Short mmCIF file of all heavy atoms in Angstrom, two decimals:
data_model
loop_
_atom_site.label_atom_id
_atom_site.label_comp_id
_atom_site.label_asym_id
_atom_site.label_seq_id
_atom_site.Cartn_x
_atom_site.Cartn_y
_atom_site.Cartn_z
N ARG A 260 38.20 49.11 134.52
CA ARG A 260 38.77 49.65 135.74
C ARG A 260 37.95 49.08 136.93
O ARG A 260 36.77 48.88 136.88
CB ARG A 260 38.68 51.19 135.77
CG ARG A 260 39.54 51.83 134.74
CD ARG A 260 39.49 53.35 134.89
NE ARG A 260 40.38 54.01 133.94
CZ ARG A 260 40.02 54.36 132.69
NH1 ARG A 260 38.81 54.05 132.31
NH2 ARG A 260 40.85 54.91 131.90
N GLY A 261 38.65 48.85 138.01
CA GLY A 261 37.95 48.36 139.20
C GLY A 261 38.94 47.92 140.25
O GLY A 261 40.10 48.14 140.18
N ARG A 262 38.37 47.21 141.29
CA ARG A 262 39.21 46.72 142.34
C ARG A 262 40.06 45.57 141.83
O ARG A 262 39.86 45.05 140.74
CB ARG A 262 38.32 46.30 143.54
CG ARG A 262 37.74 47.50 144.26
CD ARG A 262 36.91 47.05 145.46
NE ARG A 262 35.71 46.37 145.05
CZ ARG A 262 34.58 47.02 144.79
NH1 ARG A 262 34.53 48.36 144.90
NH2 ARG A 262 33.49 46.38 144.46
N ALA A 263 41.02 45.13 142.64
CA ALA A 263 41.98 44.14 142.20
C ALA A 263 41.32 42.76 142.19
O ALA A 263 41.45 41.95 143.09
CB ALA A 263 43.17 44.09 143.13
N THR A 264 40.53 42.54 141.14
CA THR A 264 39.89 41.23 140.95
C THR A 264 40.13 40.75 139.55
O THR A 264 40.26 41.49 138.62
CB THR A 264 38.36 41.32 141.17
OG1 THR A 264 37.84 42.32 140.25
CG2 THR A 264 38.04 41.73 142.58
N VAL A 265 40.28 39.44 139.41
CA VAL A 265 40.49 38.81 138.10
C VAL A 265 39.43 37.73 137.96
O VAL A 265 39.21 36.88 138.85
CB VAL A 265 41.88 38.22 137.97
CG1 VAL A 265 42.06 37.52 136.63
CG2 VAL A 265 42.92 39.33 138.13
N PHE A 266 38.73 37.63 136.79
CA PHE A 266 37.65 36.73 136.52
C PHE A 266 36.58 36.88 137.59
O PHE A 266 36.21 35.93 138.28
CB PHE A 266 38.15 35.29 136.45
CG PHE A 266 39.07 35.02 135.30
CD1 PHE A 266 40.34 34.72 135.52
CD2 PHE A 266 38.62 35.18 134.01
CE1 PHE A 266 41.23 34.48 134.49
CE2 PHE A 266 39.47 34.95 132.91
CZ PHE A 266 40.76 34.60 133.19
N GLY A 267 36.07 38.10 137.77
CA GLY A 267 35.08 38.36 138.80
C GLY A 267 35.76 38.59 140.11
O GLY A 267 36.82 39.21 140.17
N ARG A 268 35.25 38.07 141.15
CA ARG A 268 35.84 38.26 142.48
C ARG A 268 36.39 36.93 142.96
O ARG A 268 35.68 36.11 143.54
CB ARG A 268 34.77 38.78 143.47
CG ARG A 268 34.25 40.17 143.06
CD ARG A 268 33.20 40.62 144.05
NE ARG A 268 32.68 41.93 143.68
CZ ARG A 268 33.23 43.10 144.07
NH1 ARG A 268 34.33 43.08 144.75
NH2 ARG A 268 32.72 44.22 143.67
N GLY A 269 37.65 36.77 142.75
CA GLY A 269 38.35 35.61 143.25
C GLY A 269 37.84 34.32 142.73
O GLY A 269 37.38 34.21 141.59
N LEU A 270 37.86 33.27 143.59
CA LEU A 270 37.49 31.90 143.16
C LEU A 270 36.02 31.82 142.77
O LEU A 270 35.69 31.12 141.81
CB LEU A 270 37.76 30.93 144.32
CG LEU A 270 37.47 29.45 144.04
CD1 LEU A 270 38.30 29.00 142.85
CD2 LEU A 270 37.75 28.63 145.25
N ALA A 271 35.18 32.58 143.45
CA ALA A 271 33.73 32.52 143.12
C ALA A 271 33.52 33.01 141.70
O ALA A 271 32.76 32.44 140.89
CB ALA A 271 32.96 33.34 144.09
N GLY A 272 34.20 34.08 141.32
CA GLY A 272 34.06 34.62 139.98
C GLY A 272 34.62 33.66 138.91
O GLY A 272 34.01 33.49 137.87
N LEU A 273 35.73 33.04 139.25
CA LEU A 273 36.35 32.09 138.32
C LEU A 273 35.41 30.90 138.10
O LEU A 273 35.16 30.48 136.97
CB LEU A 273 37.69 31.57 138.88
CG LEU A 273 38.40 30.49 138.06
CD1 LEU A 273 38.68 31.02 136.65
CD2 LEU A 273 39.65 30.07 138.76
N CYS A 274 34.84 30.36 139.21
CA CYS A 274 33.92 29.23 139.08
C CYS A 274 32.68 29.59 138.26
O CYS A 274 32.18 28.84 137.46
CB CYS A 274 33.54 28.70 140.42
SG CYS A 274 34.92 27.91 141.32
N SER A 275 32.16 30.82 138.46
CA SER A 275 30.99 31.22 137.75
C SER A 275 31.24 31.29 136.24
O SER A 275 30.36 30.94 135.45
CB SER A 275 30.47 32.57 138.22
OG SER A 275 31.36 33.61 137.87
N LEU A 276 32.45 31.64 135.86
CA LEU A 276 32.78 31.69 134.44
C LEU A 276 32.94 30.31 133.88
O LEU A 276 32.47 29.97 132.79
CB LEU A 276 34.06 32.49 134.21
CG LEU A 276 33.93 34.00 134.14
CD1 LEU A 276 35.27 34.65 134.00
CD2 LEU A 276 33.06 34.40 132.97
N ILE A 277 33.60 29.44 134.65
CA ILE A 277 33.85 28.07 134.15
C ILE A 277 32.58 27.29 134.10
O ILE A 277 32.32 26.49 133.17
CB ILE A 277 34.90 27.36 135.06
CG1 ILE A 277 36.22 28.07 134.90
CG2 ILE A 277 35.00 25.91 134.70
CD1 ILE A 277 37.27 27.56 135.86
N LEU A 278 31.69 27.42 135.10
CA LEU A 278 30.53 26.59 135.21
C LEU A 278 29.25 27.21 134.65
O LEU A 278 28.23 26.54 134.51
CB LEU A 278 30.29 26.24 136.70
CG LEU A 278 31.44 25.52 137.35
CD1 LEU A 278 31.12 25.31 138.84
CD2 LEU A 278 31.72 24.17 136.70
N GLY A 279 29.31 28.49 134.37
CA GLY A 279 28.10 29.18 133.88
C GLY A 279 27.57 28.59 132.56
O GLY A 279 28.30 28.12 131.72
N ALA A 280 26.27 28.71 132.38
CA ALA A 280 25.61 28.05 131.23
C ALA A 280 26.05 28.74 129.93
O ALA A 280 26.04 28.07 128.89
CB ALA A 280 24.12 28.17 131.35
N THR A 281 26.46 29.99 129.99
CA THR A 281 26.85 30.66 128.72
C THR A 281 28.35 30.97 128.77
O THR A 281 28.77 31.89 128.11
CB THR A 281 26.06 31.94 128.60
OG1 THR A 281 26.31 32.82 129.70
CG2 THR A 281 24.57 31.68 128.46
N THR A 282 29.12 30.19 129.47
CA THR A 282 30.58 30.42 129.49
C THR A 282 31.15 30.35 128.09
O THR A 282 30.77 29.51 127.29
CB THR A 282 31.30 29.44 130.40
OG1 THR A 282 32.70 29.55 130.18
CG2 THR A 282 30.89 28.03 130.05
N PRO A 283 32.07 31.29 127.76
CA PRO A 283 32.68 31.23 126.42
C PRO A 283 33.33 29.88 126.14
O PRO A 283 33.27 29.43 125.01
CB PRO A 283 33.71 32.35 126.48
CG PRO A 283 33.19 33.27 127.49
CD PRO A 283 32.50 32.39 128.52
N LEU A 284 33.96 29.28 127.16
CA LEU A 284 34.65 28.03 126.92
C LEU A 284 33.63 26.97 126.52
O LEU A 284 33.84 26.23 125.53
CB LEU A 284 35.39 27.62 128.18
CG LEU A 284 36.22 26.33 128.08
CD1 LEU A 284 37.25 26.48 126.94
CD2 LEU A 284 36.91 26.04 129.39
N ALA A 285 32.53 26.84 127.22
CA ALA A 285 31.52 25.81 126.89
C ALA A 285 30.97 26.07 125.53
O ALA A 285 30.62 25.15 124.78
CB ALA A 285 30.45 25.81 127.94
N ALA A 286 30.82 27.31 125.14
CA ALA A 286 30.18 27.68 123.88
C ALA A 286 31.00 27.25 122.68
O ALA A 286 30.49 27.01 121.61
CB ALA A 286 29.91 29.16 123.82
N GLN A 287 32.33 27.17 122.82
CA GLN A 287 33.15 26.93 121.63
C GLN A 287 33.82 25.58 121.63
O GLN A 287 34.60 25.28 120.73
CB GLN A 287 34.17 28.04 121.50
CG GLN A 287 35.28 28.02 122.54
CD GLN A 287 36.30 29.12 122.29
OE1 GLN A 287 36.10 29.92 121.37
NE2 GLN A 287 37.35 29.11 123.01
N VAL A 288 33.61 24.74 122.63
CA VAL A 288 34.28 23.46 122.69
C VAL A 288 33.37 22.38 122.18
O VAL A 288 32.27 22.21 122.63
CB VAL A 288 34.71 23.16 124.15
CG1 VAL A 288 35.23 21.71 124.28
CG2 VAL A 288 35.78 24.10 124.58
N ARG A 289 33.90 21.58 121.25
CA ARG A 289 33.15 20.43 120.70
C ARG A 289 33.53 19.22 121.51
O ARG A 289 34.54 19.17 122.19
CB ARG A 289 33.49 20.25 119.25
CG ARG A 289 33.03 21.36 118.35
CD ARG A 289 33.05 20.96 116.88
NE ARG A 289 34.39 20.67 116.45
CZ ARG A 289 35.17 21.49 115.74
NH1 ARG A 289 34.70 22.71 115.42
NH2 ARG A 289 36.36 21.18 115.35
N PRO A 290 32.76 18.13 121.38
CA PRO A 290 32.95 16.97 122.30
C PRO A 290 33.96 15.94 121.86
O PRO A 290 33.65 14.79 121.82
CB PRO A 290 31.53 16.38 122.33
CG PRO A 290 30.97 16.65 120.99
CD PRO A 290 31.54 18.00 120.57
N GLY A 291 35.16 16.32 121.50
CA GLY A 291 36.20 15.32 121.26
C GLY A 291 36.92 15.47 119.96
O GLY A 291 36.64 16.36 119.17
N THR A 292 37.87 14.56 119.71
CA THR A 292 38.68 14.58 118.51
C THR A 292 37.78 14.74 117.27
O THR A 292 36.73 14.13 117.21
CB THR A 292 39.50 13.27 118.42
OG1 THR A 292 40.26 13.14 119.59
CG2 THR A 292 40.41 13.34 117.21
N ASP A 293 38.26 15.51 116.31
CA ASP A 293 37.47 15.79 115.12
C ASP A 293 36.89 14.51 114.55
O ASP A 293 37.58 13.50 114.36
CB ASP A 293 38.39 16.45 114.04
CG ASP A 293 37.58 16.99 112.87
OD1 ASP A 293 36.99 16.23 112.14
OD2 ASP A 293 37.54 18.23 112.77
N PRO A 294 35.56 14.46 114.35
CA PRO A 294 34.89 13.19 113.97
C PRO A 294 35.39 12.65 112.64
O PRO A 294 35.26 11.45 112.38
CB PRO A 294 33.41 13.58 113.88
CG PRO A 294 33.39 15.08 113.80
CD PRO A 294 34.60 15.55 114.57
N ALA A 295 35.96 13.49 111.77
CA ALA A 295 36.49 12.96 110.52
C ALA A 295 37.62 11.99 110.73
O ALA A 295 37.80 11.05 109.98
CB ALA A 295 36.94 14.15 109.61
N ILE A 296 38.39 12.17 111.83
CA ILE A 296 39.52 11.31 112.11
C ILE A 296 39.04 9.92 112.61
O ILE A 296 39.69 8.92 112.42
CB ILE A 296 40.45 11.97 113.15
CG1 ILE A 296 41.04 13.20 112.50
CG2 ILE A 296 41.56 11.03 113.63
CD1 ILE A 296 41.90 14.07 113.50
N THR A 297 37.90 9.91 113.28
CA THR A 297 37.39 8.69 113.82
C THR A 297 36.31 8.03 112.97
O THR A 297 35.61 7.11 113.37
CB THR A 297 36.79 8.93 115.23
OG1 THR A 297 35.78 9.91 115.19
CG2 THR A 297 37.88 9.41 116.18
N SER A 298 36.13 8.58 111.75
CA SER A 298 35.04 8.08 110.88
C SER A 298 35.34 6.66 110.35
O SER A 298 36.48 6.23 110.33
CB SER A 298 34.86 9.03 109.73
OG SER A 298 35.95 8.99 108.85
N ARG A 299 34.29 5.97 109.96
CA ARG A 299 34.46 4.63 109.37
C ARG A 299 35.30 4.70 108.07
O ARG A 299 36.08 3.82 107.82
CB ARG A 299 33.10 4.04 109.07
CG ARG A 299 32.32 3.61 110.29
CD ARG A 299 31.03 2.87 109.92
NE ARG A 299 30.31 2.42 111.06
CZ ARG A 299 29.17 1.75 110.97
NH1 ARG A 299 28.66 1.44 109.77
NH2 ARG A 299 28.52 1.35 112.11
N ARG A 300 35.08 5.79 107.32
CA ARG A 300 35.79 5.87 106.08
C ARG A 300 37.29 6.02 106.28
O ARG A 300 38.08 5.37 105.62
CB ARG A 300 35.29 7.08 105.25
CG ARG A 300 35.92 7.20 103.88
CD ARG A 300 35.21 8.28 103.05
NE ARG A 300 35.72 8.30 101.69
CZ ARG A 300 36.82 8.97 101.31
NH1 ARG A 300 37.52 9.69 102.20
NH2 ARG A 300 37.25 8.90 100.06
N ALA A 301 37.66 6.85 107.23
CA ALA A 301 39.11 7.02 107.54
C ALA A 301 39.69 5.72 108.01
O ALA A 301 40.80 5.36 107.60
CB ALA A 301 39.30 8.14 108.58
N SER A 302 38.99 5.01 108.86
CA SER A 302 39.49 3.72 109.34
C SER A 302 39.55 2.68 108.22
O SER A 302 40.51 1.88 108.19
CB SER A 302 38.57 3.19 110.47
OG SER A 302 38.71 3.96 111.62
N HIS A 303 38.62 2.71 107.31
CA HIS A 303 38.64 1.78 106.20
C HIS A 303 39.85 2.00 105.30
O HIS A 303 40.46 1.05 104.87
CB HIS A 303 37.31 1.89 105.37
CG HIS A 303 37.27 1.03 104.15
ND1 HIS A 303 37.17 -0.34 104.21
CD2 HIS A 303 37.39 1.38 102.84
CE1 HIS A 303 37.20 -0.84 103.00
NE2 HIS A 303 37.30 0.18 102.14
N ILE A 304 40.13 3.28 105.02
CA ILE A 304 41.29 3.61 104.21
C ILE A 304 42.56 3.13 104.87
O ILE A 304 43.42 2.51 104.25
CB ILE A 304 41.36 5.13 103.94
CG1 ILE A 304 40.24 5.52 102.98
CG2 ILE A 304 42.68 5.55 103.37
CD1 ILE A 304 40.07 7.03 102.82
N ALA A 305 42.64 3.38 106.19
CA ALA A 305 43.86 2.98 106.92
C ALA A 305 43.95 1.45 106.95
O ALA A 305 45.06 0.91 106.70
CB ALA A 305 43.81 3.52 108.34
#
Side-chain angles (χ1 to χ4, degrees):
R260 294 184 178 88
R262 287 183 290 273
T264 56
V265 177
F266 295 114
R268 296 180 181 273
L270 181 60
L273 176 60
C274 291
S275 70
L276 276 176
I277 294 175
L278 301 176
T281 59
T282 169
L284 184 58
Q287 70 177 5
V288 172
R289 294 196 297 259
T292 306
D293 193 291
I296 296 174
T297 58
S298 68
R299 288 186 178 181
R300 184 173 187 273
S302 292
H303 176 71
I304 290 172

